């Protein structure tokens, strides 16, 4: 089933996060540790089906990966299950490229903007 998936820019994601929206990062743990949006909840792609019931249905849930492919796949799956999932276009790479703050590791504070 081909489900249309809305996309959003990293700038729009930043505004959504400031408003309290949920961000799900579907990359692998080692990728997440290298760099991630500070508020992102790590849910590796293969585990997305296990958390569907934990996600809100009355508000958008943003989904991010490295470049946007895996997050599109996860968002399509979530939309099939009643979640208003939105794909973050360009992923974490676009977030960092835009100079937006990110974190590294699990206890790290915001890293300097830009490539490390």
């Amino acid at each position: 089933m081909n489900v249309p998936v809305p996309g959003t820019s990293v700038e729009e994601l930043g505004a959504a996060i400031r408003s309290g929206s949920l961000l799900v990062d579907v990359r692998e743990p080692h990728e997440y540790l290298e760099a991630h949006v500070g508020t992102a909840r790590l849910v590796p792609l293969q585990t997305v089906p296990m958390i569907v019931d934990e996600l809100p249905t009355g508000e958008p849930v943003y989904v991010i990966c490295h470049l946007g492919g895996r997050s599109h796949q996860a968002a399509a799956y979530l939309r099939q299950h009643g979640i208003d999932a939105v794909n973050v276009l360009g992923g974490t790479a676009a977030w960092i490229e835009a100079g937006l703050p990110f974190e590294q590791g699990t206890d790290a504070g915001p890293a300097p903007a830009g490539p490390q």
Side-chain angles (χ1 to χ4, degrees):
M1 179 179 192
N2 191 9
V3 176
V5 176
T8 193
S9 70
V10 293
E11 291 81 11
E12 291 169 336
L13 172 63
I17 288 171
R18 288 189 293 279
S19 296
S21 292
L22 176 63
L23 174 62
V24 174
D25 189 324
V26 296
R27 297 175 300 152
E28 293 299 313
H30 71 276
E31 295 174 287
Y32 180 87
L33 291 173
E34 288 174 11
H36 60 274
V37 178
T39 62
R41 174 181 172 189
L42 177 63
V43 180
L45 181 60
Q46 72 273 13
T47 66
V48 167
M50 294 181 242
I51 58 97
V52 171
D53 292 339
E54 300 172 24
L55 299 176
T57 56
E59 60 192 66
V61 172
Y62 295 87
V63 186
I64 195 168
C65 65
H66 181 66
L67 295 174
R70 287 175 284 179
S71 55
H72 185 276
Q73 181 181 355
Y77 177 85
L78 292 173
R79 292 185 75 77
Q80 289 175 354
H81 290 85
I83 307 297
D84 183 13
V86 179
N87 185 34
V88 179
L89 303 172
T92 304
W95 179 271
I96 293 169
E97 179 72 23
L100 297 166
F102 62 93
E103 295 182 7
Q104 296 176 304
T106 56
D107 299 317
Q116 300 294 303

